[in-house]
Amino acid sequence: MSGQELVTLNVGGKIFTTRLSTLKQFPASRLAGMLDGRDQEFKTVDGQIFVDRDGALFSFILDFMRNHELLLPSDFSDHLRLQREALFYELDSLVDLLNQYLLQSGSARSAVVEVHFLNRNTQAFFRVFCSCSKTIEMLTRRITMFVEQPAALASDSNSPQVALPPQRPSHHDLLFHCGSDGAAENHAGVRYISIKPDNRKLANGTNVLGLLIDTLLKEGFRLVSTRAPASGDKSEYYVFERIKSPQVLGINITPRSETTTMPVPSRK
């Protein structure tokens, strides 16, 4: 690769080297303009183009130009400053992505799940509360209660068990229980719990609790606190918080295109 295919930028004291083609992928931007002489604000010093802007934030700008998506750390909080840099470089598609994120930031916050577990004699009761209704919807699709039918009814059906969904008192609550009342004969009336993708049908509350916790952990939650039963109280409480995933914001454009990749507002 010849040196003419590379360009070195000094952005606020931080040095970046990239392909010329990377900067030209957004021809309406100021970075493309400095290459063809349209923007005289950028000066070349000792073979490096000096840009008097934030170098740390420019690393995200350059990554966006290379990959056509914006991948941010989970603890990133400088969205407004990054948007200001995108405005300076006239990267309209990146500005739009950050606008989209800021409008939806409320729904992107961490979700909190509380699991209340009560083990009473031969029955176990569960109540799941979540600040995010989508998590409750996910659990509703995965959790099924199976009730053992009496022998007389089972003989008239194809299955000795009836499948029931968990109860939804609200958009943020989920109720279900398992086990038997102790008076059932031949397992009639016994409730089993199944949680997809696990195919087991469990009647033991402790086993169901372990499977529920495992499901939440696999969905990106972490256990942040527990409360053991107090004297005379058989309820247990578990609190989970979703681990934030890296934020990925992407645009649909043709790879390596040298033409305008997104509609650009006309300048007055």
Side-chain angles (χ1 to χ4, degrees), residues 175-192:
L175 297 175
F176 57 93
H177 69 278
C178 61
S180 67
D181 60 10
E185 297 182 359
N186 300 323
H187 300 286
V190 176
R191 288 181 177 242
Y192 302 87

Side-chain angles (χ1 to χ4, degrees), residues 103-163:
L103 287 173
Q104 299 178 352
S105 59
S107 60
R109 295 173 184 170
S110 295
V112 175
V113 172
E114 295 180 5
V115 176
H116 296 195
F117 171 62
L118 173 61
N119 209 351
R120 180 184 296 165
N121 298 325
T122 57
Q123 290 183 298
F125 300 85
F126 295 82
R127 179 164 190 162
V128 182
F129 169 83
C130 184
S131 60
C132 175
S133 61
K134 291 184 178 180
T135 298
I136 292 295
E137 292 171 1
M138 177 273 295
L139 291 174
T140 301
R141 292 191 299 268
R142 292 195 179 190
I143 297 174
T144 305
M145 294 187 294
F146 293 91
V147 182
E148 198 81 28
Q149 298 185 83
L153 295 178
S155 61
D156 296 330
S157 63
N158 294 325
S159 173
Q161 296 177 343
V162 176

